[in-house]
Amino acid sequence: MNLVADAEPDSLWRRHVVDLMQLVPLVPDIAGPCVDLGSGAGFPGLVLAAATGCEMHLVESDKRKCAFLQEAARMLALPGVTVHAARIDAVVLPPAMLLTARALAPLPELLRHAHRILAPGGVALFPKGRSVAQELTAAAAGWTMRIERFPSVTEPDSTILRLSEISPVSALA
């Protein structure tokens, strides 16, 4: 199904599993649902569900990938995982305490989703690459938020953003 581009097992493990395990210490103490947008191969949603035991909602519009995610959750014995075969704008989700997305969209678009999906006090974790500074600048035109940056331990040019208190600039006027 071409879920990931890596052909080598060592590269697959480091690039996807080890890379996303660094998110675990950044997950706040939460009591409530978590959402992963554009789940694809289950990164980071399935990894975080397995590592934290949180109730995880995986949102993916590709039905073939959804079938994979459901089977992977079953094989990993993750009963708290729910797969939503829907587009992000159309899915109905419970208010989330944690939202993740990896390699899905530029930050301004992710913030639009986060504002709609996150519960009050919720946190978004977004792994970002080289363009993080430009994405933050673009986002500042339309959004306010509390920003925490964490350097990636597996990718020197990458950053993990932990965002909270997300609101559109127009809401402040």
Side-chain angles (χ1 to χ4, degrees):
M1 283 199 316
N2 239 2
L3 292 171
V4 293
D6 303 277
E8 298 296 319
D10 289 344
S11 174
L12 176 76
W13 182 256
R14 178 175 157 44
R15 173 77 177 104
H16 298 293
V17 179
V18 174
D19 184 51
L20 294 169
M21 285 301 290
Q22 68 184 319
L23 297 179
V24 174
L26 303 179
V27 172
D29 290 332
I30 52 173
C34 303
V35 173
D36 180 42
L37 300 177
S39 297
F43 302 123
L46 284 178
V47 173
L48 290 176
T52 67
C54 69
E55 172 191 343
M56 181 65 71
H57 294 264
L58 306 176
V59 180
E60 174 57 55
S61 62
D62 184 320
K63 290 185 181 6
R64 295 171 309 134
K65 291 177 183 177
C66 287
F68 166 79
L69 292 168
Q70 288 171 329
E71 181 62 9
R74 185 191 68 75
M75 291 183 71
L76 293 169
L78 299 172
V81 170
T82 303
V83 178
H84 300 269
R87 298 199 47 81
I88 296 166
D89 287 328
V91 70
V92 177
L93 298 163
M97 292 307 297
L98 176 69
L99 176 72
T100 62
R102 180 179 182 218
L104 177 67
L107 188 56
E109 184 178 342
L110 292 175
L111 292 172
R112 183 174 56 83
H113 298 309
H115 183 256
R116 180 177 71 86
I117 294 169
L118 280 176
V123 172
L125 287 178
F126 298 138
K128 287 295 189 177
R130 291 184 189 101
S131 64
V132 69
Q134 295 91 332
E135 290 190 47
L136 284 166
T137 299
W143 297 93
T144 62
M145 71 208 90
R146 180 171 181 247
I147 302 168
E148 297 172 273
R149 300 177 201 205
F150 301 90
S152 171
V153 297
T154 59
E155 298 292 328
D157 293 335
S158 295
T159 301
I160 300 163
L161 296 177
R162 183 165 60 187
L163 308 176
S164 57
E165 303 170 24
I166 300 166
S167 69
V169 169
S170 61
L172 298 175

